[in-house]
Amino acid sequence: MLQEAAQPAAEVATMLQKIGAGAFGAVVGWYVYYINRWRKDDVQLSDIVTLIGAIGGAAVLALFPERTDLFGAYGIGLATGFFLYFFILVILVNKAPGFSSAWFLDGRAPKLTDTEVTTVGHGMERRDRIES
Amino acid sequence: MLVSLGAIGFGLVFGWLLGLYDFPPEKRPAAMAALISATVASGGVMAWLVGVAAAAPFPIATLVALWVHTQWRTELRKRHPKSNDS
C-alpha cells in the first residue's frame, strides 16, 4: 500500500492494464512449461538460469517496470499459466488409456498397436512428409 | 500487495523449475551449492526489482514449490519403480 502511494500518478495502473499484464504472464508461464516439457536433454542448472533470465529479463522489465502493480500482475499470471499447464497435463495423462503418472518420470507410455504409428512429436505435420 | 503476490508467483515457478534439477548422489555437495547460489542470486534480483519487503515471500514460495515438487517426484518413484531398479 505504501508502495502504491509512492508511485507517480503516471505509473498507477488501471484494472485493464493489470489484467493485460496478468494475461501476458499467463501466456509466458504456459510456454515456459511447454518448453520445459519438450526439452531434449536432462535439465541443467544453466537452462534454469537462462529461463529465469527470459521470464524476468530486460524485455519484461521494459513492459512492466519494477515495483509496480503491473510487474506483480505479471508474476501472478506467470504462475497461473505455468501451473495451469501442469494441472491440465496431470488430468490428461491420468485419463489417457494406458498412461500412468510414471510418464512424468521417464515418459513411460503404452506400446503402439498394429494400426498406430509414431510421429515423433510432429503431430501437426502432413502424413506424407512424416513417412518420407 | 499485488507486488508481493507477484513475488510469490515468481517464487513458485522458480522453485518448481529447481525441482527438475536431478543429480546423482556423488554430485550432491556441488549440486546443493549450485542450487543455493541460484536461489540466493534470484532472491537478490527479486529484492532489487520489487524491494526487500515485497520480495520476502519469494524465497519462502521457492522453498515450498521445491519441497512439493521433490516430494511428488519421490512419491512417483516409489509408486512406479523402474524394472531394472534394484
Side-chain angles (χ1 to χ4, degrees):
Chain A
M1 280 178 273
L2 285 174
Q3 281 186 330
E4 283 179 358
Q7 288 174 11
E11 287 189 19
V12 175
T14 64
M15 181 55 71
L16 194 63
Q17 287 174 315
K18 291 176 191 171
I19 292 171
F24 183 80
V27 172
V28 174
W30 182 278
Y31 204 64
V32 165
Y33 201 102
Y34 170 87
I35 292 169
N36 163 59
R37 182 190 158 195
W38 289 103
R39 71 181 189 280
K40 298 278 187 232
D41 298 318
D42 286 344
V43 69
Q44 304 288 321
L45 197 63
S46 57
D47 300 339
I48 296 170
V49 173
T50 305
L51 208 53
I52 295 301
I55 61 180
V60 169
L61 289 175
L63 284 172
F64 313 124
E66 64 267 32
R67 298 182 193 229
T68 62
D69 282 351
L70 288 179
F71 189 74
Y74 171 73
I76 295 167
L78 184 83
T80 305
F82 184 87
F83 287 106
L84 187 65
Y85 191 115
F86 171 68
F87 287 126
I88 290 176
L89 192 61
V90 167
I91 292 168
L92 292 178
V93 166
N94 284 317
K95 286 187 84 169
F99 280 84
S100 72
S101 47
W103 179 84
F104 286 98
L105 289 176
D106 47 22
R108 261 176 269 182
K111 278 186 177 176
L112 297 175
T113 63
D114 293 339
T115 57
E116 291 175 326
V117 293
T118 178
T119 57
V120 202
H122 298 94
M124 296 176 77
E125 280 199 12
R126 280 170 34 206
R127 189 179 170 84
D128 54 344
R129 287 181 60 191
I130 295 163
E131 290 176 343
S132 62
Chain B
M1 181 63 185
L2 206 59
V3 179
S4 290
L5 288 174
I8 291 173
F10 277 111
L12 290 175
V13 172
F14 182 63
W16 193 267
L17 290 174
L18 283 185
L20 291 170
Y21 187 50
D22 218 356
F23 49 85
E26 65 269 17
K27 289 189 177 175
R28 184 166 291 169
M32 291 303 291
L35 285 176
I36 290 167
S37 302
T39 307
V40 170
S42 59
V45 170
M46 186 57 66
W48 172 63
L49 288 175
V50 300
V52 175
F58 175 82
I60 298 168
T62 300
L63 289 175
V64 168
L66 178 60
W67 184 80
V68 169
H69 192 174
T70 308
Q71 291 298 113
W72 178 64
R73 292 184 85 83
T74 305
E75 187 62 31
L76 283 184
R77 286 199 179 97
K78 278 185 200 165
R79 282 192 203 174
H80 306 283
K82 281 185 180 175
S83 56
N84 58 354
D85 278 354
S86 57

